[in-house]
Amino acid sequence: MDAILQVVKDRASLDLSRYKRTSLERSIARRMRARGIADVSEYASFLTRDSEELQTLVSEVTVDFSLFFRDPELFDFLQQIILLKIVLRKKASGEGAIRVWCAGCGSGEEVYSIAILLFEALKGKASRDTVTIFATDVDASSLDKSRAAVYSPESIGNVPPSTRERYFHFDGSYRVKEFIKELICFGKHDLLKNPPISRIDLLLCRNVLIYLDPQGQSVVLRKLCYAVRPGGYLVLGKSEGLSGEISDFFAVVERGEKVFQRKDGDKCPFS
Ligand SMILES: C[S@@+](CC[C@H](N)C(=O)[O-])C[C@H]1O[C@@H](n2cnc3c(N)ncnc32)[C@H](O)[C@@H]1O
């Protein structure tokens, strides 16, 4: 196991030591079965020779499954309450663009869902001057899928027909229209390793912490805490939560949907 983690660290620059061991073991066992390799050290040495297998293992470990408007009640809540508050606050303060960060964006469905809602909240006046949406992931192949923005009918199952009509082209697959795509800056970013983006009004980091061990979760939560500006919002996945000292920096806005608001006060340390 350690030999495999070392190869992934050296050759894919991904440190898996803070990921949950049980899911790592399951992913590695699946890849070994797929390659017909029974011996772990043989698989480690195969990984050093085969870069395609290395990328496949990374994608297997960093599961990128997502859906448009995954957890519809959350997106209703964001649309009806949170985005309106953010838009009003920005207008009142006269500050620059609204800043959104989708950290661990997977194959992109989540960030396009929020971009569509923000576009509507701004009554179609969203542009790079009024909105900056960052979408980051550690896995390059997930980012490729996100940038391509081509989706199957299954992944847009939660999208109402009128929204499909307005924001997608259909040619057998659903393609997100350019005016939504151009609101988003995609980039490779490792939440365990890289410094956080700052002054974020709305940060979605959903279904990422579940893959990490408690120490890894703590490292990431500190960075998320640093990233959100006082008064800004953090959204985690349904089965995720705040823990330890980080809980003190946030008020619970919607417990069931895991929506938190950053309290005013001290800067959160991220190292
Ligand atoms: C299940 S997907 C979540 C996608 C989306 N947030 C959602 O909930 O629908 C988890 C994503 O987290 C990314 N991820 C895992 N570890 C990460 C890390 N250390 N830094 C950034 N992204 C990471 C994976 O590559 C994967 O794309």
Side-chain angles (χ1 to χ4, degrees):
M1 183 71 160
D2 288 340
I4 291 175
L5 298 196
Q6 197 58 49
V7 177
V8 175
K9 192 171 178 183
D10 293 345
R11 298 187 177 239
S13 302
L14 178 63
D15 183 358
L16 292 175
S17 61
R18 297 272 62 93
Y19 287 69
K20 284 182 184 153
R21 276 280 160 145
T22 43
S23 22
L24 281 182
E25 281 165 8
R26 268 200 303 273
S27 302
I28 291 168
R30 262 197 300 272
R31 288 311 309 154
M32 287 174 62
R33 268 199 307 278
R35 288 292 184 169
I37 297 175
D39 180 65
V40 180
S41 30
E42 193 187 323
Y43 183 68
S45 121
F46 179 60
L47 276 181
T48 61
R49 300 190 304 272
D50 193 312
S51 57
E52 211 175 292
E53 177 59 24
L54 183 63
Q55 180 52 50
T56 309
L57 177 65
V58 168
S59 296
E60 176 90 37
V61 169
T62 57
V63 186
D64 71 358
F65 175 80
S66 190
L67 292 172
F68 276 86
F69 302 104
R70 187 181 191 181
D71 301 324
E73 303 80 19
L74 166 69
F75 282 94
D76 284 348
F77 184 72
L78 293 179
Q79 179 176 33
Q80 286 162 24
I81 312 280
I82 302 298
L83 291 180
L84 296 183
K85 284 192 176 182
I86 292 173
V87 169
L88 283 177
R89 186 190 173 277
K90 273 289 161 178
K91 272 191 188 146
S93 70
E95 287 171 5
I98 293 171
R99 289 164 69 80
V100 176
W101 182 15
C102 196
C105 64
S107 36
E109 292 89 335
E110 180 177 72
V111 73
Y112 289 121
S113 302
I114 204 73
I116 288 171
L117 295 186
L118 205 42
F119 188 83
E120 302 211 328
L122 288 163
K123 313 227 177 312
K125 295 206 175 67
S127 71
R128 281 278 181 111
D129 294 334
T130 51
V131 182
T132 309
I133 305 178
F134 303 98
T136 61
D137 202 283
V138 74
D139 180 23
S141 68
S142 301
L143 286 168
D144 288 345
K145 289 187 212 165
S146 295
R147 287 194 184 99
V150 181
Y151 296 99
S152 67
E154 292 73 44
S155 67
I156 70 146
N158 289 331
V159 182
S162 58
T163 309
R164 291 184 194 192
E165 183 78 15
R166 226 171 293 146
Y167 299 104
F168 295 83
H169 294 293
F170 181 67
D171 59 4
S173 302
Y174 288 88
R175 293 170 186 274
V176 178
K177 289 188 178 172
E178 212 51 45
F179 65 90
I180 292 295
K181 282 174 77 174
E182 66 195 18
L183 296 175
I184 303 166
C185 316
F186 289 100
K188 193 164 179 208
H189 180 276
D190 184 342
L191 283 160
L192 287 164
K193 198 167 78 178
N194 302 126
I197 301 174
S198 63
R199 296 181 293 110
I200 296 296
D201 295 292
L202 175 63
L203 201 173
L204 291 103
C205 183
R206 303 173 63 228
N207 306 304
V208 180
L209 294 173
I210 36 170
Y211 297 102
L212 304 177
D213 67 12
Q215 216 177 317
Q217 293 183 5
S218 164
V219 170
V220 172
L221 281 172
R222 279 163 168 267
K223 295 191 187 183
L224 302 183
C225 181
Y226 179 90
V228 180
R229 63 157 186 77
Y233 297 89
L234 169 67
V235 186
L236 300 176
K238 277 254 179 196
S239 51
E240 298 166 334
L242 299 175
S243 59
E245 55 179 345
I246 297 303
S247 316
D248 299 339
F249 289 86
F250 287 92
V252 177
V253 178
E254 232 300 333
R255 193 173 297 281
E257 302 301 338
K258 301 295 165 69
V259 181
F260 306 94
Q261 185 171 28
R262 177 80 165 78
K263 293 178 186 167
D264 287 334
D266 295 341
K267 264 205 164 166
C268 183
F270 72 83
S271 56

